[in-house]
Amino acid sequence: QIDHFGFDENGTFQQRYLVADQHWKKDSGPILFYTGNEGDITWFCNNTGFMWDVAEELNAMLVFAEHRYYGESLPFGNESFSDSKHLNYLTSEQALADFAVLVEYLKTTIAGAQHSPVIAIGGSYGGMLAAWFRMKYPHVVVGALAASAPIWQFGDLVPCGTFFSIVTNDFKKSGAGCSESIRNSWNAINHLSSTDAGLQWLSNTFHLCSPLKNLQDAAVLKNWLSETWVNLAMVNYPYKADFLQPLPAWPIQEVCKFMKDPSLSDKLLLQNVFQAVNLYYNYTGEASCLDVSQTATKSLGEMGWYYQACTEMVMPLCTDGVHDMFEPQKWDFDALSDECYRMWGVRPRLSWILSMYGGKNISSHSNIIFSNGGLDPWSAGGVTQNITNSLVAVVIPDGAHHLDLRSRNPLDPKSVQQARALEICLMKQWIEKARHSH
């Protein structure tokens, strides 16, 4: 159904999902159900090695469900993003209902799956969906592993500045002078962008695909740099990986090698900053120029996510330039609201997510594991302490963004190996309990 909650729009669309059942044991094996994120499901499938690693041990079927409006699951085909009318059905509630209907469908159409216990698994926004799926449809899933799920990054549940102070700490710990160099780079850019010659110099130095023409363009450059530092913090994995971009092991340490001296002149400092971002965008050496409109893989559906951030997914973030290495920027809901209205003709609802999913008042729920990495800025809005004995927090000090959902790797830190062991142990308990009650 395009709309699960009203009866006027009764159209349907095709939802894509991937199934792997080579290790599944008929009649008793569980279903591990990945709650799709804001992107192409094949990409998440390839980046969630944990599920593939445990399938045999748990005799599990794997299902990866694509989130509506992403990848190929477009409710109105090419028209899906044409206006706010067509986008109206892009909400977390509709997506969870899709997942519930899909689980019921699989159980009735796959022989031997009728009594299979289902465990929701997801990372990041997908992790939020996994947790919310268990909360809203506890009869459909017996438990959830919510990795790096910032379910509290809403309203005033957590301070808006913690996110960026974690990013800053990652850089601070990864090399002397590193976070200071980045903090000093903003003024250097401001100085240079005040003249045409300076804008030209910045465009050349950063090898930009389209040259900076004015102060607005310079602001876009600064935003692009900020996002790059955030992305590096998210993918600061202990081994070579290509989650958002192809990168070396511990990429922040590599990037910080270029930014040891924060006291350099503006131009020398920014040449070093270019070397650092060039490692992120051009580790393979194939990029002929850098495009400031692109910070991550094409597999992420940015359009859809911007719309979600303009409606339900309102996550207050701010910087002060003191506890972090960014230019000070207050959280400004009104500015966001106006920007959203300009782009989509809609205004965000600041506290709807709290009304819908309970904010911090979730102790009546059960069987959810919240895992968070100490290096991951999104842990700022995550659940990092046990709430009850079945709402369990797992903290991975050396982990970046949902490291525990990635494939096992010889370079994995001990903390993530222990986290996975605990997650598997709890999932086995849920499966066992579901069997007995059945």
Side-chain angles (χ1 to χ4, degrees):
Q1 292 287 340
I2 287 173
D3 183 10
H4 294 284
F5 303 108
F7 294 86
D8 185 50
E9 166 59 75
N10 60 4
T12 59
F13 71 101
Q14 294 216 295
Q15 179 179 26
R16 181 165 62 150
Y17 60 94
L18 316 173
V19 178
D21 59 4
Q22 57 267 50
H23 296 300
W24 181 56
K25 220 188 201 150
K26 249 189 177 165
D27 296 322
S28 63
I31 297 171
L32 302 184
F33 186 94
Y34 189 90
T35 46
N37 298 54
E38 70 285 25
D40 186 304
I41 194 60
T42 56
W43 182 63
F44 291 101
C45 176
N46 290 334
N47 276 286
T48 312
F50 170 73
M51 284 171 61
W52 298 89
D53 291 343
V54 300
E56 191 165 8
E57 186 180 343
L58 298 178
N59 305 315
M61 180 195 306
L62 307 183
V63 178
F64 292 85
E66 190 159 71
H67 191 299
R68 52 170 56 208
Y69 287 87
Y70 294 102
E72 292 174 13
S73 301
L74 303 174
F76 301 101
N78 296 339
E79 294 290 288
S80 298
F81 289 89
S82 55
D83 56 35
S84 58
K85 279 259 180 295
H86 288 87
L87 275 162
N88 193 39
Y89 306 99
L90 171 49
T91 63
S92 61
E93 294 89 328
Q94 298 276 12
L96 292 176
D98 290 340
F99 296 156
V101 170
L102 176 56
V103 170
E104 301 291 349
Y105 169 77
L106 295 171
K107 287 190 151 195
T108 50
T109 55
I110 297 174
Q114 197 189 342
H115 302 297
S116 289
V118 181
I119 294 174
I121 297 181
S124 202
Y125 171 51
M128 292 154 81
L129 292 169
W132 293 338
F133 197 14
R134 168 64 185 165
M135 292 177 190
K136 292 292 176 188
Y137 296 91
H139 54 291
V140 176
V141 286
V142 299
L145 168 55
S148 300
I151 62 164
W152 288 345
Q153 194 66 54
F154 294 95
D156 54 5
L157 299 182
V158 296
C160 59
T162 312
F163 179 96
F164 286 101
S165 61
I166 295 174
V167 177
T168 303
N169 270 339
D170 291 351
F171 283 82
K172 212 179 241 156
K173 288 190 306 220
S174 297
C178 193
S179 63
E180 294 81 3
S181 293
I182 292 172
R183 187 181 280 131
N184 292 350
S185 71
W186 312 118
N187 271 337
I189 292 172
N190 293 343
H191 294 155
L192 283 158
S193 55
S194 60
T195 67
D196 288 346
L199 287 166
Q200 182 67 51
W201 183 88
L202 285 168
S203 307
N204 295 342
T205 302
F206 280 91
H207 295 153
L208 301 183
C209 301
S210 45
L212 308 174
K213 298 273 199 298
N214 50 38
L215 285 175
Q216 278 91 333
D217 291 352
V220 170
L221 171 72
K222 290 191 292 187
N223 270 336
W224 174 74
L225 289 171
S226 295
E227 268 188 53
T228 305
W229 307 135
V230 168
N231 286 350
L232 274 161
M234 282 166 52
V235 297
N236 197 23
Y237 296 129
Y239 44 76
K240 274 175 99 148
D242 61 355
F243 184 51
L244 297 179
Q245 295 278 0
L247 289 171
W250 296 118
I252 293 185
Q253 285 181 15
E254 297 303 311
V255 154
C256 283
K257 287 177 183 169
F258 297 110
M259 299 185 287
K260 291 177 174 160
D261 186 356
S263 63
L264 292 169
S265 68
D266 288 351
K267 286 188 172 180
L268 289 172
L269 181 74
L270 291 174
Q271 280 168 340
N272 288 347
V273 169
F274 163 72
Q275 297 287 348
V277 290
N278 195 50
L279 183 129
Y280 177 78
Y281 289 106
N282 197 18
Y283 184 55
T284 54
E286 287 162 16
S288 54
C289 64
L290 302 188
D291 176 1
V292 294
S293 69
Q294 191 70 36
T295 58
T297 167
K298 298 268 197 282
S299 303
L300 280 175
E302 293 201 333
M303 284 274 283
W305 185 251
Y306 285 145
Y307 173 82
Q308 287 190 266
C310 272
T311 47
E312 294 191 308
M313 295 291 145
V314 188
M315 300 191 188
L317 296 172
C318 61
T319 50
D320 62 10
V322 180
H323 301 95
D324 57 62
M325 60 186 187
F326 297 88
E327 277 193 302
Q329 194 158 27
K330 285 191 164 59
W331 164 244
D332 186 343
F333 177 71
D334 295 333
L336 171 75
S337 181
D338 291 343
E339 169 75 357
C340 291
Y341 192 73
R342 199 177 58 72
M343 273 183 77
W344 306 106
V346 296
R347 290 194 183 274
R349 292 182 193 162
L350 189 52
S351 52
W352 169 241
I353 286 284
L354 307 181
S355 308
M356 184 65 197
Y357 300 114
K360 290 202 170 178
N361 190 4
I362 57 175
S363 57
S364 60
H365 301 292
S366 64
N367 294 5
I368 305 174
I369 304 164
F370 294 99
S371 64
N372 279 285
L375 305 177
D376 181 18
W378 289 111
S379 66
V383 179
T384 52
Q385 286 177 328
N386 292 359
I387 296 173
T388 64
N389 59 8
S390 77
L391 295 178
V392 181
V394 175
V395 177
I396 306 160
D398 316 305
H401 203 43
H402 49 66
L403 175 64
D404 51 328
L405 292 191
R406 298 180 61 78
S407 297
R408 291 183 180 133
N409 188 293
L411 296 170
D412 275 333
K414 195 139 195 69
S415 61
V416 76
Q417 294 170 355
Q418 290 166 332
R420 288 187 191 125
L422 176 57
E423 291 163 1
I424 294 165
C425 173
L426 289 167
M427 290 199 287
K428 283 179 174 168
Q429 286 175 25
W430 300 338
I431 294 163
E432 212 34 58
K433 198 172 168 207
R435 261 193 214 128
H436 283 305
S437 64
H438 162 61

